[in-house]
Amino acid sequence: MDDRAFVLSRRLVLLFAVACGVSVANVYFSQPLLVTIGHDLDMSPGLIGSVVTLTHVGYALGLFFLVPLGDLADRRRLVVGQLALLVLALGVVATARTAAVLLIGMAATGLLAVVTQTLVAFAASLAPADGRGRVVGLVTSGVVVGILLARTVSGVLADLAGWRSVYAVSAGCAAVLALALHRVLPGGGDAPALRYGQLLRSTVSLFARERLLRVRALYGLLIFAAFSTLWSSVALPLDSLPHSAVGALGLVGIVGALAAGVAGRLNDRGLSRWTTGIALALLVVSWWPLALTRSSLWALAVGVVLLDLAVQAVHVTNQTLIYAAHPAAGSRVIGGYMVFYSIGSGVGALAATSLYAAGGWGAVCVLGAVFSGLGLALWAFER
């Protein structure tokens, strides 16, 4: 069935959104579970940080090397194949008995979780031109919900049946989604205009040539380094609380999703620069209440809301600007931008967990404030 004659129904859009949420959640499941995983597999604090870091490294590699395949291969086969391999990777994590096997499984899980970006591009290609924005917005909402609820779901499942159950359940969900998408997605499509090597080279050349892409990619790296500094280590000072309580912080962060719509409307009014600046200022401020986490859970909640609001606003602004600059190369510029997102996330996770072992929660908050302050400084001197 050719996707040019395919009619995209509301149910299929919802299926796309669910598949995106389930896939991307695998990148974040481990964050409330780090202490328990470390105890179970006798891992040092520094090695625990590698769990998150390797997941994001795998995701970054997948963004650059796997996402462009959507322009070359049959998209239905690509999506189903990636989901099937993701099931295997999750099975490796769920059954890991040594730290080495766990880390290999986590890296593979991150690599294959980029099926999320493949699904977003697929949905955009199926949507009619006059409804593409609505479809992409709905599918992207699945990504946001998956990220925010991942910690809550993993915390609840870990409290009920242990941390391994999180990855076993996710593997089952991915298998069901692979079968469902194989049944309903169209196959075929147009022949690619570029070969695989040309696509990869053009992604690099776009960022080397365009200052806007480089600046916005650097913003992305810094805000997600700050984001990961919090979420990769917040379970450590809260180790006396149950996993479900730590995971529930993701529900607080849903407020941050509201920033997406507001930031989008401000960008449409030509206020991208001020949206970025105000959000980065809020990101810096968020680390003050976060520093009070040990003495006040209310302060933690306020800090989480401010941080997620700020990150989401800058992220939406970044994507809006770079996509508008190169709509014909949209998947390549978004994929390239998301590589910087993954690098920032990995750096933040590794640095935060290592600093916590050396200097405690206060040192972690200083690190997050530094990442945030660098972003604000970049904005202040940018022209």
Side-chain angles (χ1 to χ4, degrees), residues 57-84:
V57 168
Y59 195 80
L61 293 173
L63 287 169
F64 188 78
F65 289 105
L66 295 185
V67 172
L69 288 173
D71 293 330
L72 300 177
D74 182 291
R75 293 188 180 100
R76 180 177 64 181
R77 291 182 180 178
L78 182 61
V79 166
V80 173
Q82 285 182 332
L83 284 171

Side-chain angles (χ1 to χ4, degrees), residues 22-188:
V22 169
S23 300
V24 78
N26 290 293
V27 180
Y28 300 91
F29 277 148
S30 66
Q31 292 180 357
L33 311 176
L34 294 177
V35 173
T36 300
I37 293 174
H39 288 163
D40 187 26
L41 299 180
D42 194 24
M43 300 169 68
S44 66
L47 196 56
I48 292 173
S50 300
V51 171
V52 178
T53 301
L54 284 177
T55 306
H56 283 285
V57 168
Y59 195 80
L61 293 173
L63 287 169
F64 188 78
F65 289 105
L66 295 185
V67 172
L69 288 173
D71 293 330
L72 300 177
D74 182 291
R75 293 188 180 100
R76 180 177 64 181
R77 291 182 180 178
L78 182 61
V79 166
V80 173
Q82 285 182 332
L83 284 171
L85 291 174
L86 181 59
V87 171
L88 296 178
L90 291 168
V92 170
V93 173
T95 58
R97 297 299 172 185
T98 66
V101 173
L102 175 78
L103 294 176
I104 291 171
M106 286 293 188
T109 295
L111 179 73
L112 295 162
V114 297
V115 68
T116 301
Q117 302 300 324
T118 305
L119 285 163
V120 172
F122 200 170
S125 72
L126 294 175
D130 58 355
R132 183 165 293 132
R134 178 185 63 84
V135 169
V136 172
L138 289 171
V139 174
T140 303
S141 69
V143 179
V144 175
V145 171
I147 292 172
L148 293 176
L149 293 186
R151 303 170 187 89
T152 305
V153 171
S154 65
V156 171
L157 284 175
D159 282 341
L160 291 175
W163 70 267
R164 297 178 187 277
S165 69
V166 177
Y167 295 96
V169 170
S170 184
C173 292
V176 171
L177 286 167
L179 292 173
L181 289 168
H182 182 266
R183 288 176 59 89
V184 300
L185 291 180

